[in-house]
Amino acid sequence: MIDGDTIEIHGQRIRFNGIDAPESKQYCEDAKGFEYACGRHAAQALDEFLAASRPLHCSFVNRDRYGRLVGDCDRADGRNVQSWLVERGLALDWPRYSHGAYARQQAKAQAAKVGLWAGAFQAPWDWRAEHANGTTRPSAKQPLGIMRNGQVAQSYSCQPRRTCPQISSCNEANWYLANCSWGGKLDRDKDGIPCESLC
């Protein structure tokens, strides 16, 4: 399992056609505003889905620029993989390639607020564009929502989004930088120091 929209069979990578799942390093926000590893979650759910009915049957439509086969895939029981991922909110219909093939499943997931639609997220294609230079924010070592500084524990949340004038301390700014999908906007010059008027 590579991620939520790419698998590997006998050394050959296969990219599911017409959908896009969060990247393995991507984080999203759940319904309570806490971040979780949505990319890893999608990959794990896909792994369990595929394991329930093997083998996988794919009809290939193309090769992408990375040399991966791009295909439409069904489990042995006939269930379409792309449809399942989109209707569970684990992946998005990618209109650029799907021409709306999974728009109905996506509307259903969005209305039911399942998967990604339960909280806030960045479309995977936008996330990749933003992280194209290889820089990704570090993952939190402490429980999300809590930052420990000496013996002082502060409770922070990624919702609502904040700008530097709305932040009261350097510790708080650093927590948003490390833990929130929008935290990078606090570090405009990309030197690793957020809200330099505070830090």
Side-chain angles (χ1 to χ4, degrees), residues 130 133 135 183-193 196:
E130 208 170 273
N133 62 2
T135 59
K185 291 182 171 57
L186 302 176
D187 180 16
R188 292 187 182 277
D189 58 4
K190 307 294 182 209
D191 64 353
I193 302 170
E196 294 188 1

Side-chain angles (χ1 to χ4, degrees), residues 56 100 102 104 115 161:
L56 186 68
Y102 305 102
R104 183 178 56 80
R161 295 181 180 216

Side-chain angles (χ1 to χ4, degrees), residues 89-131:
L90 298 167
L92 301 182
D93 175 62
W94 199 355
R96 179 176 171 188
Y97 298 104
S98 72
H99 307 291
Y102 305 102
R104 183 178 56 80
Q105 291 90 336
Q106 181 162 297
K108 182 179 169 186
Q110 190 171 2
K113 292 183 167 41
V114 296
L116 296 169
W117 302 103
F121 64 92
Q122 187 173 25
W125 50 85
D126 291 333
W127 188 92
R128 283 192 300 276
E130 208 170 273
H131 295 78

Side-chain angles (χ1 to χ4, degrees), residues 1-198:
M1 189 64 45
I2 306 302
D3 60 27
D5 55 33
T6 307
I7 59 172
E8 188 170 297
I9 299 176
H10 304 303
Q12 175 63 61
R13 291 197 175 187
I14 300 168
R15 176 74 160 79
F16 298 130
N17 184 38
I19 66 166
D20 203 9
E23 296 298 314
S24 56
K25 293 182 179 178
Q26 187 172 345
Y27 281 73
C28 304
E29 292 176 15
D30 65 16
K32 295 181 179 178
F34 288 102
E35 292 207 341
Y36 71 102
C38 51
R40 289 200 302 269
H41 174 73
Q44 182 179 357
L46 172 63
D47 195 35
E48 291 168 6
F49 176 72
L50 295 179
S53 180
R54 296 185 190 276
L56 186 68
H57 302 283
C58 298
S59 56
F60 300 110
V61 297
N62 208 343
R63 274 195 189 267
D64 68 10
R65 59 186 174 144
Y66 304 108
R68 299 174 299 188
L69 287 167
V70 178
D72 295 307
C73 299
D74 298 311
R75 290 195 317 188
D77 64 3
R79 294 195 66 185
N80 180 265
V81 176
Q82 293 104 292
S83 290
W84 183 84
L85 284 163
V86 175
E87 68 192 18
R88 295 291 184 295
L90 298 167
L92 301 182
D93 175 62
W94 199 355
R96 179 176 171 188
Y97 298 104
S98 72
H99 307 291
Y102 305 102
R104 183 178 56 80
Q105 291 90 336
Q106 181 162 297
K108 182 179 169 186
Q110 190 171 2
K113 292 183 167 41
V114 296
L116 296 169
W117 302 103
F121 64 92
Q122 187 173 25
W125 50 85
D126 291 333
W127 188 92
R128 283 192 300 276
E130 208 170 273
H131 295 78
N133 62 2
T135 59
T136 55
R137 61 178 186 76
S139 60
K141 297 286 188 245
Q142 65 271 25
L144 291 175
I146 303 292
M147 178 176 182
R148 300 193 181 281
N149 179 22
Q151 297 178 327
V152 179
Q154 293 285 336
S155 178
Y156 302 126
S157 170
C158 290
Q159 291 288 356
R161 295 181 180 216
R162 291 168 179 81
T163 59
C164 289
Q166 298 168 314
I167 296 172
S168 59
S169 71
C170 183
N171 282 339
E172 185 180 359
N174 275 304
W175 190 89
Y176 297 135
L177 178 66
N179 294 290
C180 301
S181 56
W182 47 266
K185 291 182 171 57
L186 302 176
D187 180 16
R188 292 187 182 277
D189 58 4
K190 307 294 182 209
D191 64 353
I193 302 170
C195 300
E196 294 188 1
S197 60
L198 293 170

